[in-house]
Amino acid sequence: MKNTNKYKILVTNDDGYEANGLLCLVKALKELDDVEVIVVAPANEKSACGHSLTLIRPLRFIGIEDNFFKLDDGTPSDCVYLALSTIFVDFKPDLLISGINRGSNMGEDITYSGTAAGAMEGVLHNIPSIAISQVMDFSDPQGDFSLAQETIKKLVLKIKNGSFPLPEREFLNVNIPPAIDTKENPKMLITYAGYRMYANDSHLHRNPRGEEYYWLGLHPLNFAARRGNEGISDYEAIADGNISITPIQLDMSAYKSMDRLKEWIE
């Protein structure tokens, strides 16, 4: 890829290269001045793939249009990893954005999220990165991404014309409230990741030959605040119709438990 003076944004997602959220993100970014958008997205939906790389089979870029590629059966992490070692050989993108995801990525869901994983891979390579997700009703086949588009443009301009607010190996995790619940003038609130309340939801079926198979179900969006934490959780911000922006770090060391563990091991 030729190095130009434009501000270069690498875009990926986990819903696949044809996802409306991705296309809405690209459209919004292209409305900004002096910005060049390069898309490398999975050929197929990779929701909940986490921070996984494909190591057991080859991967192939397929060009869709100028600066727009799908990665044949690749994950979001694959997309970023390979884009940086092929398209961006001599220089890095100025910013990486993963999304706009169809559905929330809050609480411990971040560990499952391919959307968040795309941003994780970016910050591992010292690229300022954002993951952005739209909380929505899955019965809507397209979704309303207008507030997400407006939000990401504001954040990109703030970074482009100023600086990225986080140190190395930290990224911004942005969640947008559902269109029907959004306040008239929603605030951008700085939040922490709340507790996600999980259940085991699976559905047993049989194929025409009588063989059993399972579909994993969707959990309801049930969250709880973390005890002893000041501030507001991501879910509380969304439930109140506001925008949640959570700084996420890749260091998962439980520092508060280290002294207790030392005493236990001795």
Side-chain angles (χ1 to χ4, degrees), residues 218-230:
L218 288 175
H219 304 291
L221 283 178
N222 293 330
F223 288 83
R226 295 181 184 271
R227 293 187 301 274
N229 272 37
E230 296 181 359

Side-chain angles (χ1 to χ4, degrees), residues 201-220:
D201 183 22
S202 61
H203 302 269
L204 173 64
H205 300 273
R206 294 181 185 273
N207 67 18
R209 296 181 179 179
E211 297 169 326
E212 294 182 351
Y213 66 93
Y214 291 86
W215 274 104
L216 299 186
L218 288 175
H219 304 291

Side-chain angles (χ1 to χ4, degrees), residues 56-78:
I56 59 173
R57 61 182 180 276
L59 297 167
R60 184 166 62 103
F61 281 114
I62 300 173
I64 305 301
E65 57 186 57
D66 288 346
N67 286 342
F68 196 122
F69 304 89
K70 67 178 180 179
L71 191 61
D72 193 18
D73 206 29
T75 67
S77 300
D78 289 328

Side-chain angles (χ1 to χ4, degrees), residues 90-122:
D90 299 319
F91 58 94
K92 290 181 179 180
D94 298 292
L95 181 67
L96 182 146
I97 304 176
S98 185
I100 302 167
N101 187 66
R102 186 167 177 263
S104 66
N105 277 304
M106 300 184 289
E108 288 86 356
D109 278 357
I110 296 167
T111 64
Y112 290 110
S113 168
T115 304
M120 290 179 189
E121 192 65 29

